[in-house]
Amino acid sequence: MEEEDLIDELMGAAEKDLTPKQAKILQAAVEIFAEKGYASTSTSEIAKRAGVAEGTIFRHYKTKKELLISIVSPIMLKFAVPFFADKFLNDVFKEENTENLDQLIKKLIYNRYYFVKKNIPLVKILLQEMAFHAELQDKFKQMFVEKVLPRFKEVVEKFKVAEQIKDYPTETIIRLTMTTIIGFLVTRFLIIPDYNWDDEQEIEYTIEFIRNGLKNT
Amino acid sequence: MEEEDLIDELMGAAEKDLTPKQAKILQAAVEIFAEKGYASTSTSEIAKRAGVAEGTIFRHYKTKKELLISIVSPIMLKFAVPFFADKFLNDVFKEENTENLDQLIKKLIYNRYYFVKKNIPLVKILLQEMAFHAELQDKFKQMFVEKVLPRFKEVVEKFKVAEQIKDYPTETIIRLTMTTIIGFLVTRFLIIPDYNWDDEQEIEYTIEFIRNGLKNT
DNA sequence: AATAAGAGTGAGTAATCACTCATTTTGTGA
DNA sequence: TCACAAAATGAGTGATTACTCACTCTTATT
């Protein structure tokens, strides 16, 4: 519950002073983009669902693409935040504590679990549209390489030195860990969200799977 | 090398008697769909790249969507095939051999590795468009539940009974295994294809990760 | 109450969309 | 060589697209 809701934040008149109509536009755009994709969403449809004239959209956003970017960009920042803002994670990084690998993975999973759970439509848009918009790819790559990867490498190497995990290449360990976590979240929230999930149990299994998969023997 | 190239097969005048122009259309459509997505691809652009009049497309495919389906459908079949056609996999299923878990995973990974490697554009289209076309989702779900899942369950339970792997729920084991393999392939071929991959080595690590992650202790 | 500025409007625009169809071209068997 | 059917054509269709702009409305300050 530490993270705020992105949609709220995206529209909150507190941060940037959005007019009520502008907020409605963002809300409608997020909904429809997630439903049918950016390319097959028309500005007239967004206007209709937002209860706004079509011209109002273009008063606030020069192009349809600018509207997309203004929706997707904040997500990417939020995606990076926990890696340099979360208290616990920073503790693990800073302290010479190499005992709580389980705790770290657990924290990481739950962290991302709540993030995705609260922002399913936005995550959906991010995943879908990254494939086709080079600018989004570049933005994401830059953020990942600068903010996320270095921190990740730090921890992994610490645990490697402490001989808690296997001596795989650091990149490989990161890849295996991330795909397992992301794989769970994508399966849980995007592919089979209607399955009767026992989330706590499933996360427990996933943590064990990662820990044993990487455990030094 | 046991699998044929899907694009070739899709267009091969051998199987279905496609006109040369029709083959060109399919080829062009696959290229552009993969590049910019189905929704932002115009039939005029397909016709232009195929060196064909726009009307020719609609002689062979009633609608643009029918063209998409005729491209995506064969892939889904091919995706299911190895689970009931591959010799080795069937051997593992039938024999009372519960020793070669490693071999099974290895076979599975390499199998899917070559499949994706040969059909990157098609896989890209499949992943991208499934999100927005319910018919494709249904087709895929049906195929998966009927052809893939039962076989998968068989093996997992066999290995569980033989106490080779942990007593997690069968669905959980399948999920963890598949997301790890798919995660590798997506990372390898779609997200960071330009990375200097040592495929054999990386696959070796991935196999170990899965085996240790599931190993009964 | 007057004024100014930004917010909101919606009819209008040229471009592009998927798709049609009357006509021409091509390949094939007699 | 002819005839015929299938293949291919491309100008033409109405609908829809993202976006513009001259105008009106709202709100806050004086």
Side-chain angles (χ1 to χ4, degrees):
Chain A
M1 309 295 168
E2 302 133 29
E3 295 180 36
E4 302 162 39
D5 191 290
L6 269 188
I7 302 186
D8 285 353
E9 195 180 314
L10 209 63
M11 307 183 313
E15 285 210 332
K16 303 173 180 183
D17 33 24
L18 302 184
T19 60
K21 302 234 168 190
Q22 193 172 359
K24 279 284 196 184
I25 291 170
L26 281 177
Q27 193 176 35
V30 167
E31 281 176 28
I32 312 184
F33 283 166
E35 274 171 32
K36 29 196 289 190
Y38 168 79
S40 21
T41 299
S42 69
T43 50
S44 78
E45 192 181 354
I46 296 172
K48 193 180 285 175
R49 177 154 340 175
V52 148
E54 206 175 340
T56 308
I57 294 177
F58 293 96
R59 171 147 316 269
H60 296 290
Y61 307 94
K62 266 178 281 186
T63 63
K64 184 186 158 194
K65 191 157 197 167
E66 194 181 292
L67 172 60
L68 173 69
I69 306 261
S70 83
I71 285 172
V72 172
S73 280
I75 289 199
M76 300 208 269
L77 285 179
K78 278 283 173 181
F79 177 83
V81 161
F83 290 94
F84 57 82
D86 187 282
K87 251 184 200 173
F88 175 86
L89 290 178
N90 271 313
D91 287 352
V92 176
F93 284 88
K94 281 166 192 162
E95 292 170 12
E96 296 304 318
N97 187 354
T98 51
E99 297 298 314
N100 45 11
L101 174 57
D102 262 45
Q103 284 298 315
L104 174 65
I105 301 176
K106 188 170 196 163
K107 186 78 185 180
L108 206 58
I109 292 193
Y110 270 107
N111 194 295
R112 300 296 82 190
Y113 170 83
Y114 288 121
F115 174 79
V116 174
K117 187 173 194 171
K118 282 186 192 168
N119 301 288
I120 296 177
L122 291 172
V123 171
K124 214 169 174 180
I125 296 172
L126 180 69
L127 286 181
Q128 282 297 329
E129 301 307 330
M130 277 243 285
F132 300 125
H133 306 271
E135 330 132 69
L136 293 181
Q137 285 168 30
D138 294 344
K139 235 177 195 171
F140 190 86
K141 186 179 174 180
Q142 186 197 338
M143 182 224 67
F144 184 79
V145 169
E146 286 179 11
K147 315 273 184 185
V148 180
L149 201 55
R151 282 295 172 99
F152 228 119
K153 277 185 178 168
E154 253 183 76
V155 208
V156 169
E157 263 144 33
K158 187 177 286 177
F159 280 106
K160 263 162 70 174
V161 169
E163 293 188 342
Q164 288 238 10
I165 58 178
K166 278 230 162 61
D167 194 30
Y168 297 161
T170 301
E171 290 79 7
T172 303
I173 292 174
I174 294 174
R175 173 180 72 73
L176 290 167
T177 307
M178 290 196 63
T179 60
T180 304
I181 295 176
I182 294 173
F184 165 63
L185 295 174
V186 168
T187 309
R188 168 65 181 86
F189 290 111
L190 301 182
I191 305 185
I192 353 185
D194 296 332
Y195 183 80
N196 182 28
W197 291 94
D198 181 346
D199 287 335
E200 277 194 38
Q201 186 64 259
E202 210 61 34
I203 290 177
E204 214 45 58
Y205 290 141
T206 307
I207 294 169
E208 252 192 64
F209 177 70
I210 297 175
R211 198 228 300 120
N212 289 327
L214 298 177
K215 192 195 284 175
N216 201 11
T217 47
Chain B
M1 308 297 169
E2 302 135 27
E3 294 181 37
E4 302 162 40
D5 191 292
L6 269 188
I7 303 186
D8 285 353
E9 196 180 313
L10 210 62
M11 307 182 315
E15 285 210 333
K16 302 174 180 183
D17 34 24
L18 300 185
T19 306
K21 303 234 168 191
Q22 192 172 0
K24 280 282 194 185
I25 290 170
L26 281 177
Q27 193 175 34
V30 167
E31 281 176 27
I32 312 182
F33 284 166
E35 275 170 31
K36 30 198 286 190
Y38 168 79
S40 22
T41 299
S42 68
T43 50
S44 78
E45 193 181 354
I46 296 172
K48 193 180 284 174
R49 174 148 349 168
V52 146
E54 205 174 342
T56 309
I57 293 176
F58 293 95
R59 171 146 316 272
H60 297 290
Y61 307 95
K62 267 177 280 185
T63 64
K64 184 185 160 196
K65 191 156 198 169
E66 193 182 293
L67 172 59
L68 173 69
I69 305 260
S70 84
I71 285 172
V72 171
S73 279
I75 278 206
M76 300 208 269
L77 285 178
K78 277 285 173 180
F79 176 84
V81 161
F83 291 94
F84 56 82
D86 187 281
K87 251 184 201 174
F88 176 86
L89 291 178
N90 271 312
D91 287 353
V92 176
F93 283 87
K94 282 167 192 162
E95 291 169 12
E96 296 303 318
N97 186 355
T98 51
E99 297 298 313
N100 45 12
L101 175 57
D102 263 44
Q103 284 297 314
L104 174 65
I105 301 176
K106 188 170 198 165
K107 186 78 187 181
L108 206 58
I109 292 193
Y110 269 106
N111 193 295
R112 300 296 82 190
Y113 169 82
Y114 289 121
F115 174 79
V116 174
K117 187 173 195 173
K118 284 185 191 168
N119 301 288
I120 295 176
L122 290 172
V123 171
K124 213 169 174 180
I125 297 171
L126 180 69
L127 286 180
Q128 283 297 330
E129 301 307 330
M130 277 242 286
F132 300 125
H133 306 272
E135 328 133 69
L136 293 182
Q137 285 168 31
D138 294 345
K139 236 178 195 171
F140 190 86
K141 187 180 175 181
Q142 186 197 337
M143 183 223 67
F144 185 79
V145 169
E146 286 179 11
K147 315 273 183 184
V148 180
L149 201 54
R151 282 295 171 102
F152 228 120
K153 277 184 177 169
E154 252 183 77
V155 208
V156 169
E157 263 143 32
K158 187 177 288 179
F159 280 107
K160 264 164 70 176
V161 168
E163 293 187 344
Q164 288 239 9
I165 58 178
K166 278 231 162 61
D167 194 30
Y168 297 161
T170 301
E171 290 81 7
T172 302
I173 292 174
I174 294 175
R175 173 180 71 74
L176 290 168
T177 307
M178 289 196 64
T179 61
T180 304
I181 295 177
I182 294 173
F184 164 63
L185 296 175
V186 168
T187 310
R188 167 65 181 87
F189 291 110
L190 300 182
I191 304 184
I192 353 184
D194 296 332
Y195 183 81
N196 183 28
W197 291 94
D198 181 347
D199 287 335
E200 277 193 39
Q201 186 64 258
E202 210 62 33
I203 290 177
E204 214 45 57
Y205 290 140
T206 306
I207 294 169
E208 252 191 66
F209 176 72
I210 296 175
R211 198 226 302 118
N212 289 327
L214 297 178
K215 193 194 282 173
N216 202 11
T217 47

